[in-house]
Amino acid sequence: MRILGIESSCDETAVAVVEDGRLVLANCITSSLSQHQAYGGVVPEIAAREHCKVIIPLVQQALSRAKIDWNEVDAVAYTRGPGLVSSLLIGAVTARTLAHVFQKPLIPVDHIAGHIYSNWLYEGDDPVAPEPQFPILILTVSGGHNELVYMKSHHDFEVMGETLDDAAGEAFDKVSRILGLGFPGGPIISKLAKNGNPQAFHFSRALMNKDHERNLNFSFSGLKTAVLYTVKDLAEISEAQKADVAASFQEAVCDSLVTKLFWALEQYPDVQEIHLAGGVSANQRLREMLQLRLAEKSPTLQLRIPLHMSYCTDNAAMIAGAGYYCREKVERLGTNF
Ligand code: KG4
Ligand code: ZN
């Protein structure tokens, strides 16, 4: 079964074709990022206007890359939310119109569920990994969300913990701005952190002291403020100090994420696999820290990270993949599940 997926929740416009929920036949994407950089964040009006311009050409590009026409598409999936309302609307209206014109079933998909299904995806040249085994513990971390999820079966999610304020990706973006660097902050901070000392500054980890032991929620706004005051105190900050701040901040974020993932694992010892998903799963230090602690504590547990960097950040293949696994539920229950 081939599903055409559409993702337009933020600044990326993306269209993909995925076969049977896993094999990516085409994964097309364009972004209005460069137009937002001067503002230090995404401007919804600019993002929505760009979606309007590029979405139909991108649908045509995806079909042509997948070497299929509309007769060979079995359903249309799109991101129903969460995201920027004006951006979501463009994707939803496009998907509805295409489904109506070509008489295809329409599958609305939750964006975070999409990120979760990024670990099912592979391309023609990749070795085929076996299907993930349930139950799965997922740490899904982006600019807009930050959750620990226990997944019992397809589209059966229990949120064990989430951020009480900023998501980790948002904290990376804000720290980049504090240091006078660009947007999005994640890739910039992680590159800079390679030259820094992660022990140079000690930033405390929120909700991790004795009073909060085993608390699976996250909080990163205090950390962002601590970075702000550290930078203010330094007054004339050198390049080396910027790298130290970046490395120490990144270490604090990764430590919070990984520590809480292991606390969650203690509550669910039946977990078969650990998955990392979302934009922040592109972070090398997070991957390395998780791999090291797994080798130490649960060496037999399977760890999955999206096979390609393009599956970590927003993309439409994850929406088509998640759509495949919930299509019957949508038919049976509508979208209220
Ligand atoms: O999943 P995503 O593309 O969009 C949302 O759903 O939010 O995630 C974007 C977020 C941004 O905040 C960006 O700074 C962060 O992911 N990010 C990273 C890295 N690459 C992207 N954060 C840390 N390290 C990275 N290498
Ligand atoms: Zn996302």
Side-chain angles (χ1 to χ4, degrees), residues 2-311:
R2 292 187 182 118
I3 297 186
L4 181 125
I6 296 181
E7 151 65 31
S8 70
S9 63
C10 195
D11 57 315
E12 281 96 2
T13 323
V15 182
V17 180
V18 175
E19 192 168 275
D20 296 336
R22 300 195 65 201
L23 176 61
V24 181
L25 302 180
N27 194 18
C28 303
I29 187 156
T30 166
S31 169
S32 53
L33 179 66
S34 61
Q35 298 185 50
H36 306 284
Q37 269 159 341
Y39 305 97
V42 175
V43 182
E45 177 68 20
I46 296 177
R49 282 173 190 269
E50 284 308 305
H51 288 311
C52 288
K53 281 191 209 155
V54 299
I55 201 158
I56 293 295
L58 220 53
V59 168
Q60 283 157 345
Q61 191 186 88
L63 291 174
S64 127
R65 286 207 187 151
K67 299 191 177 63
I68 59 169
D69 60 30
W70 274 102
N71 293 325
E72 295 158 286
V73 174
D74 298 292
V76 178
Y78 71 97
T79 304
R80 69 156 189 248
L84 301 172
V85 173
S86 46
S87 287
L88 288 166
L89 261 174
I90 311 301
V93 168
T94 307
R96 276 168 200 273
T97 308
L98 292 170
H100 180 73
V101 169
F102 295 104
Q103 291 294 293
K104 308 289 175 187
L106 184 66
I107 313 169
V109 172
D110 179 90
H111 181 79
I112 301 169
H115 275 297
I116 288 172
Y117 277 93
S118 61
N119 274 301
W120 268 253
L121 302 173
Y122 67 91
E123 281 164 24
D125 296 339
D126 297 325
V128 185
E131 279 262 332
Q133 296 299 302
F134 297 112
I136 303 167
L137 180 62
I138 302 137
L139 174 65
T140 175
V141 220
S142 277
H145 65 88
N146 195 141
E147 291 175 355
L148 262 173
V149 177
Y150 177 72
M151 185 179 186
K152 279 171 264 182
S153 60
H154 285 297
H155 286 274
D156 185 354
F157 306 118
E158 184 189 321
V159 178
M160 303 177 71
E162 61 194 329
T163 184
L164 302 180
D165 39 58
D166 294 353
E170 197 178 347
F172 271 94
D173 295 338
K174 287 178 178 166
V175 164
S176 180
R177 199 197 284 200
I178 292 169
L179 291 174
L181 306 171
F183 173 81
I188 298 169
I189 295 290
S190 58
K191 191 168 168 215
L192 184 62
K194 288 202 176 99
N195 307 321
N197 172 8
Q199 315 302 335
F201 299 94
H202 180 76
F203 295 123
S204 57
R205 280 71 161 145
L207 304 176
M208 273 175 59
N209 62 20
K210 271 208 312 296
D211 299 338
H212 297 101
E213 227 164 302
R214 306 293 174 261
N215 182 326
L216 298 179
N217 288 323
F218 304 91
S219 165
F220 293 110
S221 78
L223 173 61
K224 173 196 69 191
T225 310
V227 170
L228 177 69
Y229 283 112
T230 302
V231 171
K232 274 193 175 160
D233 288 347
L234 289 169
E236 287 287 302
I237 186 167
S238 67
E239 287 309 306
Q241 284 171 324
K242 277 189 186 177
D244 285 346
V245 169
S248 306
F249 158 78
Q250 177 176 263
E251 198 68 7
V253 172
C254 296
D255 185 29
S256 299
L257 294 172
V258 174
T259 301
K260 294 202 174 218
L261 188 145
F262 279 94
W263 287 354
L265 194 57
E266 283 170 19
Q267 286 184 27
Y268 284 102
D270 61 339
V271 160
Q272 300 295 308
E273 301 194 5
I274 304 249
H275 292 188
L276 206 53
V280 183
S281 69
N283 187 277
Q284 291 303 336
R285 179 61 186 139
L286 177 61
R287 293 173 172 208
E288 178 190 80
M289 196 186 276
L290 182 52
Q291 274 155 352
L292 285 172
R293 290 204 203 163
L294 259 180
E296 216 176 88
K297 295 183 181 206
S298 310
T300 55
L301 212 53
Q302 159 96 40
L303 169 66
R304 290 194 206 229
I305 293 164
L307 268 188
H308 298 278
M309 282 294 182
S310 56
Y311 300 163

